Amino acid sequence: MKIQFAPLNIPLQRRLQTAAVLQWVFSFLALAQCCLAGYVLLCVSDWWVLAALYAGWLYLDRDTPTSGGRRSEWLRNWSVWKHFRDYFPLNLIKMVDLDPGSNYIFGFHPHGVLVAGGFGNFCTEASGFSLLFPGLTPYLLMLPFWFRVPFFRDYIMCGGLVSSEKASLSYLLSGPRGGNVAVVAIGGAPEALDARPGALTLQILHRKGFIKLALKHGAQLVPVFSFGENELFDQMTNPTGSPLRWLQDHLQRLMGVALPLFTGRGVFQYSFGLLPYRQPIHTVVGRPIPVVQTPSPTKDDIDGLHSLYLEGLTAVFEDNKDNYGIAPDKHLHFI
C-alpha cells in the first residue's frame, strides 16, 4: 500500500485542528483506561490515602450521573473545541425555534463510529448551541459503564454527558421548569457496526423505550440527522452472518460496547490511522413532534408516536439531503 504523507508546510491552524481531534480520539479510546490504571497505581503507592478518599467520594457521588451530571461551562468553552469544529468542519443547523419551557428528547442519527457530531454539537459550545437554542441545556447520554471509571467520569460529566439509564432520562424529562434536552443516539452501539461511508441504515424499528418515556413525561420529540457522520471512517467489511460480525455482536452483548474495526487517517500521513477523515458534518435539528403526556401509555400509544417520529426523521433527511450531497435516489432504511 502506497502511503500518502502530509506535506511539511501545512498552516499552523490545520496543525492545531489535527491536535484537537487527536486528543479527542485519545479521550474516546484510551483516556478511561489510563485513568483506571492511574487509580490502581495510586492505590498501591504511598499515596493510597488519596485513593481511599476518592473511593469515598465515588460512593457519595454515585447518583450524580443519573441526576443531571455536573457540567462545566468553562470546559465546554475551551478554545480547543473550536479547532475540533474547524477540522471537519462541524455545523449545527436548526429548522425551527424551540420553546425553552418544554423538555425535549433529541433523537440523534446516525450513531457513526465515534459520535463526533453528537459530541461536538452538544458537549461543547463550539457550534453555538446556546446561541441557536437559548434557554435549553443539552445532555448527551452515554453508557453507564463509563461513569464507574475513576477520574474519567468526572471529566466526561463536565461536558454534559450523563448516564443512559432509564432513571437518568426520567430525571431530565421531569424537570418542572423545562429547558432540558436529552440527546440520545437511538441506534446505540450496534449501529456503530454499520457505520461506513454511504451507509443510510438506521436501527430504530424496535427501539421504542425513548418513545415510552416521552409519553410518560410529556417531553417533545425532535429528530436530528447528522449528515456526514458515517463518512468519517472506513470500516472492515462485516456483513450480517459473517464470522467477524458474529464475534462483534457477541462481544457487544457481553460488554455493552461495540468494537468496530475502523480506520481513517494518521497524524503525518493520510493513508491509515485512527483520526477521522476531514469530511464536513452538518447536524440538522428537525421540527419538534408534540407529545401529550400519558402516564400509562398503551402499546397503541407507543406505536402511534413511534410512527410519527419515523415520519419526522424521514422528513428531516429528505428536506435537507440535496443541500449536503446526498443523491435524490438515496433514502433512509430502517431496521
Side-chain angles (χ1 to χ4, degrees):
M1 179 180 66
K2 183 178 180 181
I3 299 177
Q4 181 185 1
F5 288 96
L8 296 177
N9 59 343
I10 290 180
L12 177 60
Q13 281 299 109
R14 288 179 69 87
R15 297 287 192 192
L16 292 174
Q17 293 164 13
T18 301
V21 172
L22 178 63
Q23 67 82 26
W24 170 73
V25 171
F26 169 78
S27 298
F28 200 103
L29 299 180
L31 182 58
Q33 293 87 333
C34 291
C35 288
L36 183 58
Y39 182 74
V40 171
L41 291 175
L42 190 63
C43 288
V44 299
S45 72
D46 293 338
W47 298 90
W48 63 267
V49 174
L50 294 179
L53 290 173
Y54 186 80
W57 162 252
L58 283 179
Y59 177 77
L60 295 174
D61 197 53
R62 63 190 182 279
D63 293 331
T64 299
T66 58
S67 304
R70 186 170 45 250
R71 65 201 299 115
S72 165
E73 294 305 320
W74 172 70
L75 185 146
R76 287 172 56 85
N77 284 279
W78 279 356
S79 59
V80 67
W81 304 130
K82 295 180 181 178
H83 297 301
F84 174 88
R85 173 199 64 197
D86 295 339
Y87 174 90
F88 300 98
L90 177 70
N91 299 289
L92 181 63
I93 302 101
K94 70 174 180 180
M95 296 183 69
V96 296
D97 292 328
L98 297 179
D99 178 13
S102 299
N103 293 316
Y104 300 88
I105 295 179
F106 279 17
F108 184 86
H109 310 271
H111 183 284
V113 172
L114 299 182
V115 206
F119 176 85
N121 287 308
F122 304 117
C123 295
T124 81
E125 285 296 329
S127 57
F129 180 92
S130 295
L131 296 176
L132 284 173
F133 301 103
L136 296 182
T137 304
Y139 299 86
L140 180 63
L141 275 67
M142 192 174 186
L143 290 172
F145 167 81
W146 300 111
F147 295 93
R148 301 186 183 100
V149 180
F151 308 126
F152 181 73
R153 66 187 293 277
D154 302 294
Y155 173 66
I156 59 178
M157 281 196 290
C158 286
L161 284 152
V162 295
S163 173
S164 59
E165 295 174 69
K166 179 181 177 181
S168 178
L169 185 53
S170 293
Y171 177 90
L172 297 177
L173 301 183
S174 60
R177 297 183 179 180
N180 290 335
V181 176
V183 184
V184 184
I186 304 298
E191 195 173 271
L193 299 177
D194 291 317
R196 52 176 48 84
L200 293 173
T201 298
L202 303 179
Q203 297 203 20
I204 190 174
L205 289 182
H206 303 291
R207 295 180 178 268
K208 301 179 182 180
F210 73 104
I211 299 290
K212 185 176 182 179
L213 283 175
L215 284 165
K216 281 188 173 183
H217 296 282
Q220 297 190 48
L221 291 168
V222 181
V224 178
F225 194 87
S226 195
F227 292 89
E229 191 74 38
N230 280 342
E231 314 303 313
L232 303 182
F233 296 97
D234 289 310
Q235 188 171 166
M236 184 177 292
T237 303
N238 59 341
T240 301
S242 66
L244 174 58
R245 186 56 172 264
W246 177 89
L247 178 61
Q248 290 175 319
D249 289 339
H250 184 72
L251 291 174
Q252 191 273 319
R253 287 191 295 268
L254 185 66
M255 301 187 300
V257 295
L259 297 173
L261 298 181
F262 65 92
T263 184
R265 51 156 290 187
V267 177
F268 302 111
Q269 47 77 29
Y270 302 138
S271 300
F272 61 90
L274 296 179
L275 293 187
Y277 299 124
R278 284 182 180 264
Q279 295 289 336
I281 303 173
H282 304 281
T283 303
V284 181
V285 178
R287 296 178 175 83
I289 300 168
V291 177
V292 177
Q293 187 169 10
T294 309
S296 299
T298 65
K299 183 178 183 300
D300 289 341
D301 294 331
I302 296 171
D303 290 343
L305 183 56
H306 188 260
S307 296
L308 289 177
Y309 181 82
L310 294 182
E311 291 174 8
L313 176 58
T314 300
V316 172
F317 178 79
E318 295 293 337
D319 291 348
N320 292 277
K321 67 181 184 181
D322 290 344
N323 299 330
Y324 306 119
I326 307 295
D329 61 338
K330 298 293 184 181
H331 309 283
L332 295 179
H333 175 55
F334 300 138
I335 61 173

